[in-house]
């Protein structure tokens, strides 16, 4: 059976305290993605956020009582009511598209990232901002006809739905309402539905210098809206603080990421804001391990040079759509067993690095949703490389291009709703690093006999085809909420 695992990580260094929170939805244990901002200021704070829908308390400054040390057990599920909101999901998809246009590098192997991970950290910064910094965040992160307070509450509701074992699904794209001609193309066995196997884990952590004057209002809202865990750290014991944060990251990701921070933290780093996202699931239609073989991959088109990759093959009844306009693009969906998430593969005709760049420049969130809404279940053959991809990118320039400028400046940054720096004569808290890291593995599991393999090969003359022997886009979406978990182009799957 095929598994998809992705692990984004980001680091951001600011002069502010850090909050950490954790939301878990899982059927089996698993690790995954991470995003960590670090902040510079006098001290660090760690807070634990529970989900509440109460009104916003009056702002005040407190020095929070140190919480109990973090444990390996997941935080209690948030109390927010799981719900969907089309404006919130559209906001995240639009944010995804804007971020993707800031990342292109000339010879990158992949520019895969987690939109959900990055925007969650941005929202935690937005929540603690004031003045012009708050206005800059609001222009990008607040949907039209929705105020910023309502946005945070609705975002929390949608995230709670993402974590729900039985998420509300108000979207139900056309292909999900159709019946496959052959049920055995979807199921691995007979006699009822397969046991649930999908794992989605989202965690937010804020680690702050223990004497940092955190705003009580921020602590309460981060806990209630984002389920954040807040943990104070000792600025005089930087090696121990680094070990604590790395241990938390390792626990959340089931050991996939053991050294989130390299080397001791600087005494000037007052806050580390970390987000971890982990996803693991089994395909509804499996790839056949015995059919996987070496095949050429053409990064610059079929007329250019190639290299050998392990190419997997499968044939089944899958959602498929061909865009017949000037874009001439194919999109195929690979659903997961739990029927709440799908990995969409998107590829222009005669694909190459240049063709993908042209598609990225044109593609919008609304276009992508329109294509998915027109997909229909069809007999489809898919060839896809086995992949273990890693990506690391500093998002400072991306934030600047999005219009988040003042928070990156010691002179202009305003995080006064997170930290009370009025009594300090030092520099203002600001963000000086935003590092996003991701690890994606797509591999096979299980065995099939020669007869089954032969039958699969016989079916490769399918009506529709997706041939992943040239660059393509990956769009992994939680269909029930419409939230994008991972997105980006694949130029080199080795």
């Amino acid at each position: 059976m095929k598994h998809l695992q992705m692990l984004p990580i980001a680091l951001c260094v600011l002069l502010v305290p850090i909050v950490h929170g954790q939301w878990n939805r899982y059927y089996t244990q698993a690790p995954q993605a991470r995003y960590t901002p670090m902040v510079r200021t006098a001290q660090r704070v760690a807070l634990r956020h529970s989900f509440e829908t109460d009104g916003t308390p009056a702002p005040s400054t407190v020095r929070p009582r140190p919480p109990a040390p973090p444990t390996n057990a997941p935080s209690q599920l948030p109390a927010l009511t799981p719900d969907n909101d089309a404006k919130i999901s559209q906001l995240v998809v639009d944010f995804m598209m804007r971020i993707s246009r800031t990342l292109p590098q000339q010879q990158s192997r992949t520019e895969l990232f987690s939109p959900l991970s990055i925007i969650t950290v941005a929202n935690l910064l937005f929540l603690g901002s004031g003045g012009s910094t708050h206005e800059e965040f609001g222009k990008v992160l607040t949907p039209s006809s929705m105020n910023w307070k309502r946005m945070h509450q609705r975002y929390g509701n949608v995230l709670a739905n993402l974590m729900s074992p039985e998420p509300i699904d108000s979207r139900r794209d056309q292909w999900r309402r159709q019946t496959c001609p052959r049920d055995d193309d979807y199921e691995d066995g007979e006699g009822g539905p397969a046991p649930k196997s999908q794992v989605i884990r989202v965690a937010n952590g804020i680690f702050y210098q223990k004497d940092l004057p955190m705003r009580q209002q921020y602590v309460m809202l981060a806990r209630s809206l984002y389920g954040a865990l807040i943990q104070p750290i000792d600025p005089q014991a930087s090696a121990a603080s680094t070990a604590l944060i790395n241990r938390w990251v390792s626990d959340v990701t089931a050991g996939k990421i053991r050294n989130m921070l390299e080397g001791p933290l600087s005494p000037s780093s007052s806050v580390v804001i970390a987000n971890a996202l982990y996803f693991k699931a089994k395909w509804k239609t499996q790839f056949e391990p015995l059919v996987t073989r070496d095949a050429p991959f053409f990064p610059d088109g079929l007329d250019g040079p190639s290299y050998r990759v392990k190419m997997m093959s499968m044939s089944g009844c899958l959602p498929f759509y061909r865009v017949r306009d000037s874009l001439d693009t194919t999109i195929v969906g690979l659903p997961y067993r739990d029927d709440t998430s799908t990995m969409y593969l998107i590829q222009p005709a005669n694909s190459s690095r240049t063709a993908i760049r042209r598609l990225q420049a044109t593609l919008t969130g609304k276009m992508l949703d329109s294509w998915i809404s027109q997909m229909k279940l069809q007999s489809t053959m898919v060839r896809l490389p086995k992949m273990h991809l890693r990506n690391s990118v500093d998002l400072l320039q991306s934030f600047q291009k999005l219009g988040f400028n003042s928070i990156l400046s010691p002179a202009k940054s305003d995080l006064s709703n997170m930290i009370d720096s009025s009594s300090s004569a030092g520099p203002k808290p600001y963000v000086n690093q935003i590092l996003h890291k991701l690890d994606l593995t797509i591999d096979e599991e299980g065995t099939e006999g020669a007869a089954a393999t032969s039958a699969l090969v016989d079916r490769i003359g399918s009506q529709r085809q997706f041939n992943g022997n040239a660059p393509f886009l990956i769009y992994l979406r939680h269909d029930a909420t419409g939230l994008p978990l991972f997105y980006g182009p694949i130029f080199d799957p080795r």
Side-chain angles (χ1 to χ4, degrees), residues 129-178:
S129 65
S132 60
T133 302
H134 189 271
E135 292 177 1
E136 290 174 355
F137 276 113
K139 290 178 181 178
V140 176
L141 301 178
T142 304
S144 59
S145 72
M146 184 183 294
N147 65 45
W148 67 273
K149 294 180 181 179
R150 180 67 172 166
M151 182 281 293
H152 284 292
Q153 185 179 37
R154 295 301 298 163
Y155 188 85
N157 289 338
V158 176
L159 279 176
N161 195 36
L162 173 71
M163 298 303 118
S164 173
E166 300 292 339
I168 300 167
D169 188 350
S170 57
R171 301 174 66 89
R172 301 305 298 176
D173 295 304
Q174 175 182 232
W175 68 266
R176 290 185 173 276
R177 301 192 297 269
Q178 296 175 339

Side-chain angles (χ1 to χ4, degrees), residues 93-219:
V93 173
D94 290 342
F95 182 84
M96 172 185 83
M97 292 299 181
R98 296 180 69 172
I99 282 284
S100 72
R101 293 190 181 99
T102 69
L103 298 178
Q105 299 176 13
Q106 191 170 6
Q107 295 300 323
S108 59
R109 294 181 59 191
T110 179
E111 290 156 13
L112 203 65
F113 65 97
S114 172
L116 185 68
S117 183
I118 297 173
I119 199 172
T120 298
V121 169
N123 278 342
L124 285 169
L125 293 171
F126 182 21
L127 189 66
S129 65
S132 60
T133 302
H134 189 271
E135 292 177 1
E136 290 174 355
F137 276 113
K139 290 178 181 178
V140 176
L141 301 178
T142 304
S144 59
S145 72
M146 184 183 294
N147 65 45
W148 67 273
K149 294 180 181 179
R150 180 67 172 166
M151 182 281 293
H152 284 292
Q153 185 179 37
R154 295 301 298 163
Y155 188 85
N157 289 338
V158 176
L159 279 176
N161 195 36
L162 173 71
M163 298 303 118
S164 173
E166 300 292 339
I168 300 167
D169 188 350
S170 57
R171 301 174 66 89
R172 301 305 298 176
D173 295 304
Q174 175 182 232
W175 68 266
R176 290 185 173 276
R177 301 192 297 269
Q178 296 175 339
T179 302
C180 226
R182 297 183 58 187
D183 291 338
D184 57 274
D185 277 339
Y186 259 132
E187 301 297 341
D188 297 319
E190 299 178 357
K196 291 184 175 180
S197 59
Q198 182 167 288
V199 180
I200 299 179
R201 181 180 299 170
V202 180
N204 298 302
I206 300 178
F207 304 86
Y208 67 96
Q209 292 184 4
K210 63 183 180 180
D211 296 326
L212 193 68
M214 297 290 289
R215 295 279 189 187
Q216 180 63 23
Q217 181 185 27
Y218 178 81
V219 171

Side-chain angles (χ1 to χ4, degrees), residues 226-239:
Y226 292 91
L229 170 66
I230 301 174
Q231 176 69 45
I233 55 178
D234 186 352
Q236 303 304 318
S238 58

Side-chain angles (χ1 to χ4, degrees), residues 169-358:
D169 188 350
S170 57
R171 301 174 66 89
R172 301 305 298 176
D173 295 304
Q174 175 182 232
W175 68 266
R176 290 185 173 276
R177 301 192 297 269
Q178 296 175 339
T179 302
C180 226
R182 297 183 58 187
D183 291 338
D184 57 274
D185 277 339
Y186 259 132
E187 301 297 341
D188 297 319
E190 299 178 357
K196 291 184 175 180
S197 59
Q198 182 167 288
V199 180
I200 299 179
R201 181 180 299 170
V202 180
N204 298 302
I206 300 178
F207 304 86
Y208 67 96
Q209 292 184 4
K210 63 183 180 180
D211 296 326
L212 193 68
M214 297 290 289
R215 295 279 189 187
Q216 180 63 23
Q217 181 185 27
Y218 178 81
V219 171
M220 294 177 66
L221 290 175
R223 285 174 172 167
S224 65
L225 298 174
Y226 292 91
L229 170 66
I230 301 174
Q231 176 69 45
I233 55 178
D234 186 352
Q236 303 304 318
S238 58
S241 297
T242 299
L244 183 149
I245 296 171
N246 284 340
R247 186 164 57 249
W248 173 78
V249 169
S250 180
D251 290 344
V252 171
T253 62
K256 291 290 183 180
I257 299 180
R258 298 181 180 275
N259 295 301
M260 179 82 166
L261 303 179
E262 300 289 344
L265 284 170
S266 167
S268 63
S269 296
S270 60
V271 179
V272 173
I273 301 178
N275 170 274
L277 169 61
Y278 172 72
F279 177 87
K280 180 180 179 181
K282 293 183 178 181
W283 302 122
K284 208 168 188 179
T285 302
Q286 67 177 343
F287 287 84
E288 293 286 351
L290 294 181
V291 181
T292 299
R293 60 198 61 184
D294 286 345
F297 185 90
F298 301 88
D300 297 309
L302 298 180
D303 295 332
S306 67
Y307 46 77
R308 310 295 285 183
V309 299
K310 293 292 184 182
M311 191 70 71
M312 306 179 300
S313 299
M314 72 111 106
S315 184
C317 184
L318 301 170
F320 183 93
Y321 180 65
R322 177 75 177 271
V323 182
R324 297 290 183 180
D325 58 19
S326 59
L327 291 177
D328 196 7
T329 298
T330 295
I331 177 170
V332 64
L334 303 181
Y336 295 98
R337 268 191 184 177
D338 291 54
D339 203 30
T340 59
S341 301
T342 303
M343 188 174 77
Y344 297 95
L345 306 174
I346 307 162
Q347 186 183 59
N350 303 314
S351 186
S352 63
R353 182 183 291 267
T354 301
I356 289 289
R357 291 297 187 216
R358 285 198 299 264

